[in-house]
Amino acid sequence: MDCKNCEFKARQFYCTDCLRMHLRDFRRKIHHAAAERDEQVAKASRSLGTVEESRRRRADLAESETRVQEVTAALAKLRKENSKARERLRSLRESLATRRRNLSAAKLIPATPLDSLIARESQELSALSDTLARARSGLVQELVEVFHVVEVGGRPPIGSKAGTKGEWTIGDLVLPVPGDIRRYPPDHINAVLTHTIHFLGLLTFYLGIRLPFEVTWSGEKLGVGQPWIGAVRGTDHGGWARWSSKQPLHLSSAPAASGSPTVSAPPISASMSESYVDAAESSQSSFTTAFAMLLYNICYLAYTQSVDVPLSQAGNVLSNLWAVCCSGDLGRRSHETHPLLPPPTPPNFPLDFAQLLQATSAKPVPRQRAKPHRMSTDGPRPVRKSRPIPEEEEGWDLIEDVEDGGFG
């Protein structure tokens, strides 16, 4: 419908009858489209139902495959366990059969009283201990022969005449007592100490004994460099365990002080009346402590082999080692074989390291090397007469005075 004013198209207006007619036609068209729509929706629903069923079947199939794989893995694990169980069962059957055979054989043997069985085992153990002791004794005898540990210059008692004591040597070198160390050059002391350390190390290895103080070498190999000694871990008995710091078990032949003339070590004279120079006061005390540690090791070794070494005789190193090698109980007690020894040192070991160190570091009165003298069999040992020994201007004193129980 055109506007009369502007002649533009305007909305058409309908009457009520026309609207009813148009609504009826529109409803008819919609009804036809709804039927088609419902048909398409029904077709789509049927198609979607088929797809959902396929998806459900595939999901069920995947779940079944997963369960089959789990069952297969469980079956393989069960087979392994069954195989192990069969193997263990076979082993148990063999063990049971062996026990039955042993039991049958034991029933054929006449019954033995328990006391007789214990006695027989004790006899076998004693026989084994005797065999080990004899083997160790043989090794120790060969060791003494190799290192040539002997006493020279002495004389056994003959008739009414008392014997005299000589000097103990190892490898043809004299190892003096602490009071006489200052009369020998440092090279001599170092050499004889090296022999003694090797001898003691092999002896303790053969006997299976662990010593309170351990010897190490500056070259980190046995016999290479210079020896040092220090305590191992142990108990408080004897007062030695706290001396864990290493001490030099060797002497230095360097001059004692700078600016003073160097004193060369003269050859050893027959009278042994000249002294030699040590490095310094600190090194002297360190060597004295180290030497006391060595003496303590030997005293403890003697104790393990049933050899009694009193404090006054602790400085006789080679003599004490000889007594150990000649002990009737040599090799019967050890830290490694039966009967076992307690760790060093047990409470019943009487020697205290502080007493030994005090006796070792005591300074003796200057005296000459004593000549062999006769000993009275019915009286006390005669006192040695001594006279002062001329000292050099830069002499060195390793040993201090002996008060009570010191080494002469």
Side-chain angles (χ1 to χ4, degrees):
M1 182 177 180
D2 297 334
C3 179
K4 297 179 178 180
N5 296 325
C6 59
E7 296 182 357
F8 285 154
K9 291 289 184 182
R11 185 175 179 180
Q12 295 179 1
F13 295 96
Y14 299 94
C15 64
T16 304
D17 295 334
C18 292
L19 287 176
R20 288 194 184 103
M21 187 180 299
H22 286 301
L23 286 175
R24 185 178 62 249
D25 294 340
F26 184 71
R27 287 173 182 170
R28 189 182 297 110
K29 292 179 180 178
I30 290 176
H31 179 72
H32 178 72
E36 292 180 357
R37 182 199 62 191
D38 293 339
E39 184 180 359
Q40 295 297 328
V41 169
K43 290 181 180 178
S45 298
R46 288 193 296 271
S47 300
L48 289 176
T50 306
V51 172
E52 185 69 21
E53 186 178 358
S54 300
R55 288 179 178 178
R56 188 179 295 109
R57 286 198 300 269
R58 286 197 296 270
D60 294 340
L61 180 60
E63 183 179 1
S64 301
E65 290 178 352
T66 303
R67 293 183 60 186
V68 168
Q69 292 178 357
E70 292 177 354
V71 171
T72 304
L75 180 61
K77 182 179 179 181
L78 185 60
R79 286 177 178 175
K80 290 182 180 179
E81 292 178 354
N82 291 340
S83 177
K84 292 181 179 179
R86 291 192 190 96
E87 186 67 21
R88 184 171 176 273
L89 181 61
R90 185 182 62 81
S91 177
L92 290 177
R93 286 178 178 175
E94 293 178 357
S95 177
L96 181 60
T98 303
R99 292 183 179 182
R100 287 177 177 173
R101 289 194 298 269
N102 294 338
L103 183 60
S104 300
K107 289 181 179 179
L108 299 177
I109 301 175
T112 304
L114 181 60
D115 295 339
S116 301
L117 181 60
I118 294 176
R120 185 178 62 184
E121 295 295 334
S122 300
Q123 291 177 359
E124 293 179 358
L125 182 60
S126 178
L128 180 60
S129 299
D130 293 339
T131 303
L132 289 175
R134 287 194 299 270
R136 288 169 174 168
S137 179
L139 291 174
V140 170
Q141 291 178 5
E142 293 181 359
L143 184 65
V144 172
E145 293 178 0
V146 169
F147 280 84
H148 195 56
V149 180
V150 295
E151 183 183 12
V152 296
R155 180 179 59 79
I158 302 175
S160 60
K161 296 181 179 180
T164 57
K165 292 185 177 180
E167 293 179 326
W168 284 89
T169 62
I170 179 171
D172 297 330
L173 295 176
V174 176
L175 178 58
V177 296
D180 290 337
I181 287 182
R182 59 192 296 273
R183 307 177 189 279
Y184 290 82
D187 292 341
H188 177 93
I189 299 299
N190 291 338
V192 71
L193 282 180
T194 300
H195 289 336
T196 305
I197 292 170
H198 284 310
F199 180 84
L200 182 61
L202 290 174
L203 181 60
T204 53
F205 174 74
Y206 292 156
L207 298 180
I209 301 297
R210 185 186 180 192
L211 299 177
F213 295 97
E214 180 185 14
V215 177
T216 57
W217 297 83
S218 59
E220 298 182 355
K221 292 183 179 180
L222 180 63
V224 179
Q226 295 174 330
W228 294 72
I229 188 170
V232 299
R233 292 184 178 180
T235 60
D236 294 334
H237 301 294
W240 56 269
R242 65 186 182 89
W243 296 84
S244 57
S245 60
K246 299 295 183 180
Q247 304 294 333
L249 194 54
H250 58 274
L251 292 174
S252 173
S253 58
S258 59
S260 60
T262 304
V263 180
S264 59
I268 304 175
S269 61
S271 62
M272 293 290 180
S273 61
E274 299 190 21
S275 60
Y276 296 86
V277 181
D278 193 15
E281 291 292 336
S282 59
S283 60
Q284 294 174 12
S285 60
S286 298
F287 173 78
T288 303
T289 304
F291 195 73
M293 294 177 179
L294 179 65
L295 299 182
Y296 195 83
N297 273 352
I298 295 173
C299 292
Y300 174 70
L301 176 63
Y303 164 79
T304 61
Q305 306 304 311
S306 302
V307 177
D308 184 21
V309 178
L311 179 62
S312 59
Q313 301 295 326
N316 302 325
V317 176
L318 296 181
S319 177
N320 295 336
L321 288 176
W322 176 268
V324 171
C325 297
C326 297
S327 172
D329 293 334
L330 182 68
R332 295 188 179 275
R333 301 176 65 197
S334 170
H335 287 112
E336 298 178 357
T337 56
H338 186 82
L340 294 176
L341 284 174
T345 55
N348 53 353
F349 180 57
L351 186 58
D352 186 79
F353 179 72
Q355 296 177 356
L356 180 62
L357 179 60
Q358 182 180 4
T360 307
S361 59
K363 183 177 181 181
V365 179
R367 58 183 173 83
Q368 274 189 327
R369 177 177 294 274
K371 296 182 180 179
H373 61 277
R374 297 182 180 180
M375 298 180 60
S376 175
T377 58
D378 54 355
R381 181 176 178 179
V383 180
R384 299 179 180 178
K385 295 182 179 181
S386 61
R387 59 183 179 87
I389 298 176
E391 299 289 341
E392 292 187 3
E393 194 173 308
E394 296 179 1
W396 57 283
D397 292 331
L398 284 178
I399 314 301
E400 299 177 359
D401 196 8
V402 176
E403 297 294 341
D404 296 325
F407 309 124

